[in-house]
Amino acid sequence: MLTAEPELPITPDDLARRRELKLIALQGIPEVELGSDLPRLLTAAVEHNGLRLESDDVVVIAQKIVSKSEGRSVRLATVKPSPRALELARIADKDPRLVELMLSESREVLRAKTGVLILEHRLGFVMANAGIDQSNVPGSDGEEIALLLPSDPDESARRIRAGLRSACGCDVGVVINDSFGRAWRNGVTGVAIGVAGIPALVDLRGSTDREGRMLRVTQVAAADELAAAASLVMGQADEGTPAVLARGFPYARRESAARELVRPHAEDLFR
C-alpha cells in the first residue's frame, strides 16, 4: 500500500521566497467625464470593494477613463480630412475623419491596407489607429465621438499617484494600460503606456541564473507584464471595471516611466 509522504512545515524562509500576485477588479466606478477626480473615484471604489490601499500596492487603470477625465474626446463633426487622410481612408476603408485624427497624433504611417493602419504615435508607440478608439465612448444625440490617448500618460500616472497618496496616505504605484496588438502574434494584450512608482523595465543583465551563468541581455518589461495580467480581470468589452488593484508586485520600487519600454530607432531591427 502506498502511503503519502509527510508534509513538511512551511518555514519563514519558504514564506520569504514565495511570490503571490493578487489582482482585484474594482467594482463601482461610475461613468467618467471631463474633469472627473480619478484619485477620489479610485479611492471610493477601493472602499466600495471592502479594501484599503496599502503602500506597495499598484493601481492599474484603463487608458480610456484617463483620456475621458482629461477631455481627450473629439467630435468627428468638427474634423476636416486632409488629402492625405482621404487617400489613406480609401486604402484602409476607414472614416477619413478618424484617419485625420490618427495622422494628427502620429509621427509616421508604417503600414496601410484594408482594415489596418499601423502608425508610430507621437509618444513613440507603434500601434494600430494611433490608439484612437470609439468603443464605450458615448456621445449625446447620436453624435460620433473619438477618444485619443492622454497627452502625456506618464505625467497622468504621476498625477494620479500623487492624488492617491494625498487621499490615503500611502505610496502606491500607478500603471495606465491600453490594448495593443503585436507583430507576429494574433490578438491584443494589455500594455503599459503610463507608469509611476514602479519600474517599467527591470534590467537583469549582470545577474546570474540558477546555474551561475551570467545574464547578458535579459530585461523584463515588468509594467507590461502587470498591465497584461490586470487586463485579464479588467476585461476588454462591457465589463465596466476600468481599474484593478494589484497586490504583490515582485520588483523593487523606483521612479520610472513607460517611455523606458519604447525601443529607440537606432535599436529597431524590425522596420
Side-chain angles (χ1 to χ4, degrees), residues 103-181:
L103 292 175
S104 71
E105 286 287 289
S106 300
R107 297 174 180 168
E108 183 181 358
V109 178
L110 302 179
R111 296 288 186 273
K113 59 180 290 187
T114 302
V116 179
L117 276 175
I118 305 296
L119 306 101
E120 181 183 347
H121 192 275
R122 58 179 173 75
L123 295 169
F125 309 132
V126 174
M127 59 197 313
N129 304 327
I132 293 172
D133 193 7
Q134 288 185 284
S135 63
N136 293 321
V137 185
S140 59
D141 299 324
E143 187 175 36
E144 294 183 279
I145 304 292
L147 198 64
L148 315 183
L149 295 187
S151 296
D152 184 344
D154 283 325
E155 176 57 30
S156 300
R158 288 190 289 269
R159 187 167 55 249
I160 294 168
R161 182 187 180 209
L164 290 172
R165 184 190 300 120
S166 177
C168 70
C170 53
D171 187 23
V172 301
V174 171
V175 171
I176 299 172
N177 81 335
D178 196 8
S179 297
F180 279 32

Side-chain angles (χ1 to χ4, degrees), residues 48 51 84 167 185 235 239:
H48 173 78
L51 302 166
R84 176 62 167 154
R185 305 284 287 184
E239 292 83 359

